Amino acid sequence: MDFLRPASWEEALAAKAEHPTAVPIAGGTDVMVEINFDHRRPEYLLDLNRIGDLSEWEVGEESVRLGASVPYTKIMENLRAELPGLALASHTVASPQIRNRGGVGGNLGTASPAGDAHPALLAAGAEVEVESVRGSRLIPIDAFYTGVKRNALAADELIRAVHVKKADGPQQFSKVGTRNAMVIAVCAFGLALHPGTRTVRTGIGSAAPTPVRAKAAEEFLNAALEEGGFWDNGKIVTPSVAKQFADLCSAACNPIDDVRGTASYRRHAVGVMARRTLTWTWESYRGTRRTTEGAA
Amino acid sequence: MRVNFTVNGRQQEADDVWEGESLLYVLRERMGLPGSKNACEQGECGSCTVRLDGVPVCACLVAAGQVEGREVVTVEGLADFAKQRSCGTGGCGTSLQDSQHWDAKGTDSQTGEGTELSPIQQAFIDAGAVQCGFCTPGLLVAADEMLERNPNPSDADIREALSGNLCRCTGYEKIMDAVRLAAARQSEAV
Ligand SMILES: Cc1cc2nc3c(=O)[nH]c(=O)nc-3n(C[C@H](O)[C@H](O)[C@H](O)COP(=O)(O)OP(=O)(O)OC[C@H]3O[C@@H](n4cnc5c(N)ncnc54)[C@H](O)[C@@H]3O)c2cc1C
Ligand code: FES
Ligand code: FES
């Protein structure tokens, strides 16, 4: 095994081009487990820790450019207002020690259906900035997950950053597990209200071969909210609408039975989380509407 | 490969390190510092917790090559680390030899009297927070870091900060007591 230690992003891209089988290592919280247990013996490890840019973020007009190696702890502490869904999701990852090392780049690299960043990224709307010596491209988050633990990266590409849309409305993240800390999701659900475009977006984790959006449920809810004038009148979402939304979210799942839970439990739990996160975000939307109207 | 890094305030060098080796292995097997425990090697138990550039991490999940040029504090250097923090001077760290011979026993194995202990270590002894002791080093490093950040933690803060450290013996109540005790003593001292 060789340990490659590029000091800059350009050096890292050159190393990856020269050794396409090299395994990048950022926080190491996925890679080291595999090496410690002899599940993986890469020819080359490509250390990204020395590339400082990867641990930085920039808050822009429309979106946050989040460096691939920004640890979850930093997201929780610094980006709560801009990326509430991702900050909530980050807080549910493992433990403080793991959150101090692991980040979204590694979560995307592993592309596990159970990765907690994915539902939040799907719901918020995001693009993955990847680069190789050939050039750089932005992959829409919906096109990033290509199979169980597979993603759209080419062999010579590295993830530079994720561009996540800044929240224009309330966002929530919910996760089912046996305890609060150190839990891989049985299933998870992210929801973001986008009052600017009068749309709702979702993300489902651990209930299909890849993280997915519940697109039919989103379309149904978008239409129902529009039709009932809910965005303007700020009324409570009708229980029948919430129920239909929840059922459609369950239907978007394609889960399996495994040690963490059964397929039917997952389908059921996703429906429950969909209804709850809709209620929480909608209540908060109504609350902010009231205060802004009251102030006007 | 060779790895150079700072351990408990002193520059150290490890030779013939395998490229896939963890920081935990280097500390325990190459530097003779078995304070950081190896219980799971998968980040689940926190018994290998050390500070990497000040940040608590699982040493079992850090590749040795990643610590080149960086600073590591282990439980063996905790007393000295805490002392320097409280007096604010840049001391001279703990040598490998002193770290290797560091011993909580002192002149009296019951009370720990005569040993240089950090306040959190003393509080663990006083509160009876140690049974088999396997989880203790990781808990000490994690708790010490929390008290540095947050001198007046609520119970919820303590639980959150220690949520990555498993203990199979104590049921955690005495550990909670110990951290509360260390926090109270710390605020009295100020
Ligand atoms: C005890 C424990 C508990 C965990 N709990 C959770 C949990 O609750 N939720 C959760 O989502 N995850 C969990 N994980 C998994 C892991 O912490 C996350 O997936 C984390 O986001 C990985 O980030 P990392 O930087 O440590 O990745 P690494 O281990 O460094 O890398 C992971 C993968 O991504 C690739 N990679 C990393 N950076 C890049 C890059 N810039 N470009 C291209 N590829 C890259 C690597 O080659 C590797 O394939 C847990 C892990 C452990 C050990
Ligand atoms: S040995 Fe590192 S977390 Fe258990
Ligand atoms: S005292 Fe035995 S594991 Fe904690």
Side-chain angles (χ1 to χ4, degrees), chain A residues 9 16 22-34 40 46 48 54 68-69 72 89 92-95 98-99 101-112 114-118 151 153 157-161 175 181-185, chain B residues 42-45 58 61 66:
Chain A
W9 180 239
K16 189 68 170 133
V23 173
I25 175 166
T29 60
D30 280 320
V31 172
M32 284 305 286
V33 174
E34 293 186 312
R40 202 166 183 180
L46 179 63
L48 300 178
L54 292 183
S69 302
Y72 292 115
T92 74
V93 173
S95 67
I98 306 287
R99 296 196 289 268
R101 293 284 295 161
V104 174
N107 218 232
L108 289 167
T110 300
S112 157
D116 286 318
H118 313 315
N151 61 35
L153 281 185
E157 282 178 326
L158 293 173
I159 302 169
R160 170 62 185 83
K175 169 172 165 181
M182 210 61 95
V183 147
I184 299 178
Chain B
Q42 51 178 318
E44 295 273 351
C45 74
C58 295
L61 298 183
Q66 293 185 297

Side-chain angles (χ1 to χ4, degrees), chain A residues 9-27:
Chain A
W9 180 239
E10 288 67 34
E11 276 182 47
L13 295 178
K16 189 68 170 133
E18 195 181 341
H19 310 288
T21 57
V23 173
I25 175 166

Side-chain angles (χ1 to χ4, degrees), chain B residues 129-136 139 166-172 175:
Chain B
V130 182
Q131 287 189 27
C132 81
F134 208 79
C135 67
T136 312
L139 277 159
L166 295 182
C167 173
R168 306 311 306 270
C169 304
T170 65
Y172 301 101
I175 292 169

Side-chain angles (χ1 to χ4, degrees), chain A residues 65-290:
Chain A
R65 181 174 185 245
L66 181 73
S69 302
V70 175
Y72 292 115
T73 306
K74 289 273 187 317
I75 300 174
M76 285 157 54
E77 288 173 356
N78 300 287
L79 293 167
R80 190 77 197 232
E82 294 84 357
L83 310 177
L86 187 62
L88 285 169
S90 299
H91 204 159
T92 74
V93 173
S95 67
Q97 288 92 326
I98 306 287
R99 296 196 289 268
N100 285 339
R101 293 284 295 161
V104 174
N107 218 232
L108 289 167
T110 300
S112 157
D116 286 318
H118 313 315
L121 295 177
L122 286 165
E127 289 175 313
V128 186
E129 180 187 339
V130 306
E131 197 171 338
S132 71
V133 289
R134 297 173 291 122
S136 139
R137 61 182 177 129
L138 287 174
I139 306 175
I141 194 69
D142 294 80
F144 188 78
Y145 311 108
T146 54
V148 182
K149 300 202 172 187
R150 296 170 64 92
N151 61 35
L153 281 185
D156 62 346
E157 282 178 326
L158 293 173
I159 302 169
R160 170 62 185 83
V162 207
H163 299 243
V164 193
K165 288 227 178 69
K166 272 160 70 176
D168 60 334
Q171 304 187 345
Q172 274 293 345
F173 175 82
S174 179
K175 169 172 165 181
V176 175
T178 41
R179 59 187 279 247
N180 275 335
M182 210 61 95
V183 147
I184 299 178
V186 176
C187 51
F189 193 83
L191 187 142
L193 300 186
H194 299 286
T197 47
R198 300 199 161 188
T199 53
V200 176
R201 281 176 65 118
T202 58
I204 299 175
S206 241
T210 66
V212 290
R213 277 168 68 197
K215 287 201 179 142
E218 292 174 12
E219 279 162 25
F220 160 77
L221 186 58
N222 289 342
L225 292 177
E226 197 58 60
E227 227 167 81
F230 286 95
W231 293 104
D232 292 318
N233 62 29
K235 284 202 182 135
I236 295 174
V237 174
T238 336
S240 64
V241 168
K243 172 152 195 323
Q244 176 78 5
F245 173 68
D247 289 348
L248 287 167
C249 286
S250 290
C253 301
N254 181 14
I256 54 166
D257 293 329
D258 69 10
V259 287
R260 280 177 282 138
T262 62
S264 67
Y265 174 75
R266 286 189 158 101
R267 227 178 256 118
H268 172 75
V270 163
V272 172
M273 290 190 290
R275 187 166 41 74
R276 284 186 189 162
T277 52
L278 174 60
T279 310
W280 295 335
T281 49
W282 192 258
E283 279 309 303
S284 142
Y285 171 68
R286 295 175 65 223
T288 49
R289 263 188 84 264
R290 269 197 300 273

Side-chain angles (χ1 to χ4, degrees), chain B residues 5-35:
Chain B
F5 62 115
T6 304
V7 184
N8 297 325
R10 297 271 184 100
Q11 188 63 39
Q12 308 293 351
E13 181 180 294
D15 267 321
D16 300 320
V17 174
W18 174 60
E19 286 70 17
E21 208 162 291
S22 69
L23 169 61
L24 181 62
Y25 190 93
V26 172
L27 291 171
R28 291 177 56 87
E29 311 298 335
R30 300 197 186 275
M31 298 192 157
L33 299 179

